[in-house]
Amino acid sequence: MRSAVSYALIAIIGGAVGAGVTQIVVIYDKVVRHLTAAPEYPDDFWSTPAVEGYGKIHYEADAAFKPVVGLSNKVVFQINHSDGAMTAPNTGLKRVARVVNLYIASGIPADQLQFVVSVNGKATPAMLDNTHFKQLYGTDNPNLKLISELNKIGVKVSVCDQAVAFHHYPKNWIDKSVIHALSSLTTVSTLQNQGYAWLLM
């Protein structure tokens, strides 16, 4: 009699555990589908109001901590990483474009932006002219159009000449749209002493 009861209990517990595991698998599948499904947005949800095609934003007029007209609006962006493929623009540069778009969308006139980009470290190759970038990486430099768009708005893009030397690049390999700075460290410290906010991108 005891063995029959034991078998019944084992069957009940096993069935409950099996049902629980099945439910977990169903929930897991639902979560994975939700996270991997491409969200649907209206056509005007994302925009690039200042840097066309780069740094897309979703602007909310009633959001807190927006840029304010009349403040210094001085920012130095430091970029020292190269994430992703060399065939795509540097992620840090795209983030700079996003900040520009956010400021412009918030009503700050472009001529009031005092933005400086300081590039060093692994991001240095992004500053190469097209000829030498293609020579090293086998593709056109995807950063040059973005740098040009940033320059049009008045954003100064600079490269650390110490990093250029460490990469063994002759100085004239750097694209002419890029400013040569003594170093990224001194660029950041000098501009911070002049009241610039520092953002590591």
Side-chain angles (χ1 to χ4, degrees):
M1 185 65 158
R2 283 184 181 172
S3 61
V5 172
S6 296
Y7 290 135
L9 284 173
I10 289 169
I12 291 167
I13 291 169
V17 169
V21 169
T22 302
Q23 189 62 24
I24 289 170
V25 170
V26 169
I27 292 170
Y28 173 80
D29 287 342
K30 285 182 180 178
V31 170
V32 168
R33 277 198 305 273
H34 173 74
L35 294 176
T36 57
E40 294 181 12
Y41 296 112
D43 291 340
D44 60 349
F45 188 85
W46 297 107
S47 66
T48 54
V51 188
E52 183 62 37
Y54 298 98
K56 66 181 182 180
I57 64 167
H58 173 62
Y59 184 73
E60 293 284 355
D62 58 351
F65 306 116
K66 292 191 306 184
V68 178
V69 175
L71 293 185
S72 69
N73 297 314
K74 296 160 76 170
V75 183
V76 55
F77 304 89
Q78 190 172 35
I79 303 172
N80 55 23
H81 285 88
S82 179
D83 302 323
M86 296 303 280
T87 53
N90 180 280
T91 302
L93 282 174
K94 290 191 290 185
R95 289 178 181 150
V96 171
R98 181 170 295 122
V99 175
V100 172
N101 285 327
L102 288 166
Y103 269 74
I104 298 296
S106 297
I108 310 299
D111 62 3
Q112 288 185 21
L113 298 181
Q114 297 183 62
F115 286 179
V116 177
V117 179
S118 179
V119 175
N120 70 329
K122 292 180 180 178
T124 307
M127 303 294 102
L128 290 168
D129 63 26
N130 199 58
T131 299
H132 294 99
F133 190 95
K134 194 166 188 175
Q135 177 182 317
L136 294 175
Y137 298 104
T139 186
D140 289 331
N141 188 341
N143 301 283
L144 297 181
K145 185 173 186 309
L146 175 49
I147 293 169
S148 174
E149 293 299 316
L150 290 171
N151 283 340
K152 286 178 191 174
I153 296 166
V155 178
K156 297 175 181 175
V157 179
S158 69
V159 68
C160 168
D161 269 351
Q162 306 309 303
V164 171
F166 282 125
H167 278 79
H168 307 292
Y169 297 154
K171 191 173 178 180
N172 64 1
W173 282 23
I174 300 301
D175 194 75
K176 291 187 176 6
S177 62
V178 177
I179 299 167
H180 286 269
L182 176 62
S183 74
S184 184
L185 298 174
T186 54
T187 298
V188 170
S189 62
T190 299
L191 292 176
Q192 281 188 305
N193 284 331
Q194 295 174 15
Y196 280 69
W198 171 61
L199 290 179
L200 181 61
M201 306 307 279

